[in-house]
Amino acid sequence: MKDTGSSTAGRPAPAVRMDRAQVLAHRFVAHGLDRSSGTPDLGELGVLGVQDTPAGSARLALAARGVPPEGLERVWTFRGAPHLHRPDALPVLAEALWPLDDADAQARIRTTVIKEGAKLGLRAFRTTAEAFRSVVTGPKPKGVVSAEVSALVDPSLTFDCATCGARHISGLLFQQAGLFGAVRVTSEGGTTLSPLEPGFALPEAAHGTEALVRAYLHLHGPAGPAEVARYLGVRTPVVRAVWPEGLVEVEVTDAGGAVRTAWSAAPEPGEAEAPDVRGTVRLLPPGDPFLQGRDRELLVPDEARRKEIWRAIGGSGVLLVGAEPAGTWRAKAVGRAVGITVTPFAPLAAPVRRALEEEAAAVAAARGADEARLHLA
């Protein structure tokens, strides 16, 4: 297994060196933001899916890539968050996301409200998934399903909720077990759960987790095990245990000149292959896959801007000019139109402003609005 430590002492320097601009350019293309394929193939993005938080943002993320949203399922997957996935990818994804062992399962659901219940480890995931499959036989409101699942699992996995005045299963476990319970999630008029059709068998053991690591490194690399672990919602030792062979070691230089060692799943992500994406304009919604990499300091070096983009609630979208974050944006419905306010980090050139008009129209179309009303703050 490759040494995945951060120190380079006593080892030869990596054969590949990349600066921040090269890394972002490679990610831009890997995420399909260049729209070069001409087809709705999500590639590695189809493995990790498109997060739909806030609800509706996944549709905008797909529009930024020129990909239609039809034919995708909305399911709770990574970290229990709703994602859009290809239906045919879900059985394999369920096996890859299944906890590696009891310790991994415990760490994923450890919280003060079910401190003892978390010790059940894999049993907690299995019994919750089985309960989902038992009670979700048709569309049901989330609250109803929660109550019915809570009645079927070990009492140590439930707690007295002061907010709703009932005893119910930990939300952390409930949503992380949703994929294993083979349920889809819709949010129109309140969250509703229904059975996936066709369904798939409950995983017996973890299988193919390495593919998730490779997919992350393809989309967000070069990166290290700790960043992959934060994305997957697991402990770093779990990722180290499934760390793939044959990765490319890369020396990455950030905007401040600091250098770190990371790994890429690309064959040779060197300088000669860095794509030219200059002049391309995209409006990425909050939660866009491009913004899901865990090395946020590399993507947005300015701390104040990072706080604006990655707010816990109400974060802004990001204007990309080329692969470079060049501003933030927010949208608001105005009758049958959508008002889009862009706050650039610096004055925008005329060609960028013209391209921005086209992207704003694409956002309006994805939201079902008749027109976009663009405003530069």
Side-chain angles (χ1 to χ4, degrees):
M1 182 177 294
K2 182 184 287 291
D3 175 9
T4 56
S6 59
S7 173
T8 59
R11 290 188 290 149
V16 178
R17 294 178 174 82
M18 299 178 71
D19 61 25
R20 173 177 174 276
Q22 292 168 330
V23 170
L24 297 189
H26 276 279
R27 292 183 187 179
F28 186 94
V29 175
H31 277 261
L33 288 166
D34 61 339
R35 302 174 185 165
S36 63
S37 68
T39 69
D41 179 16
L42 292 174
E44 293 291 346
L45 193 58
V47 177
L48 298 187
V50 181
Q51 186 167 323
D52 196 30
T53 309
S57 61
R59 181 179 291 269
L60 302 184
L62 292 170
R65 293 158 174 79
V67 176
E70 288 75 24
L72 301 177
E73 293 282 14
R74 190 173 189 264
V75 185
W76 287 324
T77 53
F78 296 95
R79 307 169 306 281
H83 287 67
L84 296 189
H85 291 275
R86 295 195 314 263
D88 63 306
L90 293 176
V92 174
L93 181 61
E95 290 189 334
L97 271 180
W98 187 257
L100 267 62
D101 51 29
D102 280 323
D104 180 20
Q106 290 173 26
R108 295 191 196 189
I109 60 174
R110 187 178 292 125
T111 176
T112 55
V113 297
I114 59 163
K115 186 176 180 180
E116 289 302 313
K119 295 177 182 178
L120 295 176
L122 288 168
R123 180 183 161 197
F125 278 87
R126 186 165 300 280
T127 57
T128 304
E130 289 171 344
F132 267 122
R133 291 166 181 258
S134 174
V135 305
V136 183
T137 55
K140 289 185 178 181
K142 177 185 174 184
V144 172
V145 175
S146 176
E148 293 180 349
V149 167
S150 299
L152 295 177
V153 300
D154 191 288
S156 67
L157 298 174
T158 67
F159 69 103
D160 292 317
C161 178
T163 302
C164 60
R167 187 170 184 87
H168 59 72
I169 189 169
S170 160
L172 187 62
L173 170 60
F174 186 70
Q175 293 193 197
Q176 288 192 79
L179 172 63
F180 310 130
V183 297
R184 68 163 56 88
V185 183
T186 55
S187 60
E188 294 80 6
T191 302
T192 299
L193 307 182
S194 57
L196 288 166
E197 297 176 356
F200 50 86
L202 182 60
E204 292 296 326
H207 176 73
T209 311
E210 175 185 316
L212 302 183
V213 177
R214 283 192 175 277
Y216 181 93
L217 294 176
H218 178 81
L219 293 168
H220 300 289
E227 293 155 354
V228 180
R230 288 196 296 272
Y231 179 88
L232 297 181
V234 302
R235 298 170 301 122
T236 301
V238 171
V239 173
R240 291 188 186 278
V242 296
W243 194 250
E245 298 289 345
L247 300 177
V248 177
E249 189 173 323
V250 183
E251 200 173 72
V252 178
T253 304
D254 67 18
V259 178
R260 66 184 176 95
T261 300
W263 288 265
S264 173
E268 283 294 337
E271 181 176 359
E273 296 182 4
D276 184 0
V277 298
R278 291 174 296 181
T280 306
V281 175
R282 298 288 182 263
L283 287 172
L284 305 185
D288 186 273
F290 189 79
L291 307 176
Q292 291 290 339
R294 274 11 190 197
D295 54 351
R296 294 173 177 177
E297 294 83 359
L298 182 75
L299 180 59
V300 182
D302 184 88
E303 182 178 2
R305 291 171 180 171
R306 287 199 302 274
K307 290 181 178 179
E308 168 66 16
I309 294 167
W310 286 289
R311 288 184 185 177
I313 299 176
S316 64
V318 172
L319 164 66
L320 285 187
V321 177
E324 181 67 40
T328 59
W329 67 279
R330 294 182 179 276
K332 183 178 180 181
V334 184
R336 290 294 302 165
V338 58
I340 298 175
T341 300
V342 176
T343 305
F345 297 152
L348 303 177
V352 172
R353 293 197 302 271
R354 289 193 292 271
L356 187 54
E357 293 279 358
E358 296 179 7
E359 293 305 304
V363 168
R367 287 173 57 109
D370 292 339
E371 63 172 317
R373 298 176 184 175
L374 180 63
H375 172 69
L376 294 180

